Amino acid sequence: MNAPAERNPGVAVTGAGLLCPVAGDVAEFATALYEGHSGVRVRSPEDDEISGGSVRRTPGLAAPLRDFSLADAVDRLGVSELLRTRARRLAARAPLPIRAAVVAALQAWQDAGLAEETGTGEDTALVVGGQNLASRYTEECRPRYLNDPAHLPARYALHMMDTDHVGVLSALLGITAEGYTLGGASASGNLALVHGARLVDSGTVRRCLVVGAMADLSEMELQGLFNLGAMAGTEGNDRPELRCRPFDRQREGFVPGQGVGCLVLERADRARTRAPAVYGLLAGHAVGLDGNQLSDPDENGETRVMIRAIRQAGVEPSAVDCVNTHGTASRLGDETEARAIENVLGSDVTRPWINATKGWTGHCLGASGVIEAIAVLLQMRGGFVHPNANLTDPLHEKLRFVGGTAEPARLDYVLSNSFGFGGMNSSLLLAGPEHALRSG
C-alpha cells in the first residue's frame, strides 16, 4: 500500500531525563510505572511556605517533587567537572523549576552520549514547553518587595521570565542554534516535541533538546483552578493515594504534580550511527484548535488530532497498540476523551490498551506531554503497559483499560494525547525502537 503523501519519516529519540513525584531519573520511573507507585499526598504546610509573609493555603492534594538537591543530583550523574561547575554556577540559587530542569537536561544529554562531545552547539536547538514558570517565585519575592523594594533580588528580572530556562540550559550545554519557550497550557510539552521534531525533520538542526518545564504553581493559581472545579477536593484525605481516579465514574478532578521531562530528538539516520541507544521514533504528530477560549474539551477536536497523527505516520488506526491518554480525572475531560478515542479506533476500539500516567504522577501541566512521552517509550522498551490508578468502575465499557497491575504487551505504535485549556489539542504517535533503526 502506498503511504499517504503527508507521511513523515519521523525523528528518533536518543536521550531522556526526568524528575517527577515518583522518580528521580528514567530508570526509577520505569520501575515506578510498572509497580504503580503513587506520588499523591495531602498538601503539607511545607508545601506552602512563602518567605517573609503569610499566604492563605489552598486546600487539597498534591503530587510534589520528591526530596531534591541540585548538588547531590548532579554529583550522582557522574558528568564532567566542567558540567558540574556550570550547573552549580548557573542554577544553585535559581528557582526550583530551573534547578530541576538543569538536572533533567543533564540526564538526557548524558543518556544521548553527548556529554563528552564538543562543537555540537550550532547543530542543536532548544525548545522549552511551558508558561508562567516563575509564578511561585514571584509570589515568594513579593513580601520582600513590599517590605523594601530595594531588597528585591537583582536577578528577579531574569528569573521571572520563562526564557530563563533557555538562557540557563543553553549556557549549561553550549547550545547556540535556535531556542525559545512555547506555551500551550497543558499541551505545552507535546507542542514542544512537535516543534522540535519539525526542526530536526526539516534539516534546520541535527538535534533538538526538548524540555517539558516544571509548573510550580502559586497559591493564587492553585486557588483559581480549585474554584474552577478542575482540581480534586479535600474530603477523605486519610488515603490521598486513592483520590486520583482517571476514567473512573467516581473521578473528581486532577491533582497538581511537579515534574520536568527532557528528550533529545535527532535525525534517525544519524541516531543509528552516533547514539548509544534509540528509545523510539516520533512517527506522527498533530496539533489543532477548537476555536474555544474556555476550559471545556471538544470531542471533534480531539478526534481530529489523533487521526492526523496516525495518518502522518502512514499507518491505520488498527496499528495502534495503546493510547496513553491525557486522562486528568476531570469529570468532563475524561468522558470526552473516551468518546474521541472510540471515534478514532472504530471497530478496533476493544483491542488497544488504555492507560493514564497522571493517576500516579498527578497532572504536571506543561511538562506532562514530555513526561508521558517518556512513559510511553519506557513501556515500549520494557514490553509492558502500566496500570491505571484507582480505576474500579470505568466510565466506558468498550475501552480496554489496563487494570490495577501492569500487563505484558508488545507495543509498536502508541498514541500520547495532551489537551489544554483554550481548545488546544495535540497527539503524538510514537513507534518502537526497531522502527527508528530502519527508518529514513
Side-chain angles (χ1 to χ4, degrees), residues 82-368:
L82 173 63
L83 286 176
R84 287 200 299 273
T85 300
R86 283 182 183 174
R88 289 190 290 265
R89 175 175 58 82
L90 292 164
R93 301 181 66 182
L96 175 61
I98 294 289
R99 285 180 276 136
V102 162
V103 172
L106 284 174
Q107 290 176 1
W109 203 248
Q110 184 180 47
D111 192 33
L114 297 168
E116 304 304 323
E117 286 203 14
T118 59
T120 60
E122 293 184 2
D123 294 328
T124 305
L126 171 60
V127 182
V128 177
Q131 58 200 42
N132 306 328
L133 301 175
S135 54
R136 178 164 286 272
Y137 171 73
T138 295
E139 188 175 57
E140 290 171 345
C141 287
R142 184 168 179 79
R144 297 173 64 182
Y145 166 77
L146 292 175
N147 183 59
D148 186 343
H151 289 168
L152 188 68
R155 283 186 173 265
Y156 173 76
L158 299 175
H159 291 325
M160 73 174 183
M161 298 183 185
D162 291 344
T163 49
D164 195 32
H165 278 73
V166 177
V168 169
L169 295 177
S170 63
L172 175 70
L173 301 173
I175 294 173
T176 57
E178 299 184 20
Y180 20 71
T181 60
L182 193 158
S186 295
S188 296
N190 262 15
L191 268 58
L193 285 167
V194 169
H195 194 72
R198 288 170 176 168
L199 288 172
V200 172
D201 190 61
S202 68
T204 303
V205 292
R206 296 177 74 177
R207 71 180 62 83
C208 184
L209 176 66
V210 178
V211 182
M214 177 187 296
D216 193 20
L217 297 177
S218 69
E219 290 301 304
M220 190 161 66
E221 287 171 320
L222 287 166
Q223 188 68 53
L225 291 167
F226 186 79
N227 291 353
L228 185 65
M231 283 170 48
T234 59
E235 299 299 323
N237 282 348
D238 55 318
R239 294 293 302 278
E241 71 280 4
L242 302 181
R243 298 293 303 288
C244 194
R245 312 176 67 89
F247 295 101
D248 192 88
R249 294 186 188 277
Q250 302 305 312
R251 66 199 182 281
E252 56 184 293
F254 78 80
V255 173
Q258 290 181 323
V260 55
C262 296
L263 287 174
V264 177
L265 306 181
E266 295 190 56
R267 291 175 57 95
D269 54 353
R270 177 166 169 77
R272 288 195 294 266
T273 59
R274 189 211 61 78
V278 174
Y279 282 87
L281 192 73
L282 183 46
H285 48 72
V287 177
L289 297 174
D290 293 332
N292 176 18
Q293 72 169 116
L294 302 177
S295 61
D296 51 313
D298 181 81
E299 178 182 339
N300 292 328
E302 294 179 7
T303 300
R304 284 196 301 271
V305 293
M306 284 187 271
I307 289 174
R308 285 172 50 206
I310 293 168
R311 286 178 176 171
Q312 189 182 69
V315 298
E316 299 295 330
S318 59
V320 175
D321 299 307
C322 178
V323 181
N324 186 273
T325 61
H326 183 59
T328 65
S330 75
R331 298 295 300 177
L332 184 58
D334 286 6
E335 183 178 342
T336 302
E337 186 174 10
R339 292 198 305 268
I341 291 170
E342 183 176 9
N343 293 342
V344 172
L345 298 178
S347 60
D348 291 311
V349 68
T350 60
R351 188 188 66 81
W353 292 103
I354 310 292
N355 58 12
T357 304
K358 293 181 183 72
W360 306 112
T361 64
H363 188 353
C364 295
L365 301 172
S368 60

Side-chain angles (χ1 to χ4, degrees), residues 41-105:
R41 62 177 174 80
V42 179
R43 294 186 68 198
S44 68
E46 290 76 20
D47 297 327
D48 308 292
E49 289 180 356
I50 305 298
S51 303
S54 176
V55 174
R56 180 173 298 175
R57 179 180 172 216
T58 307
L61 306 168
L65 196 66
R66 302 194 319 182
D67 294 340
F68 171 70
S69 161
L70 172 70
D72 291 346
V74 172
D75 286 344
R76 283 196 299 270
L77 281 173
V79 295
S80 68
E81 181 58 33
L82 173 63
L83 286 176
R84 287 200 299 273
T85 300
R86 283 182 183 174
R88 289 190 290 265
R89 175 175 58 82
L90 292 164
R93 301 181 66 182
L96 175 61
I98 294 289
R99 285 180 276 136
V102 162
V103 172

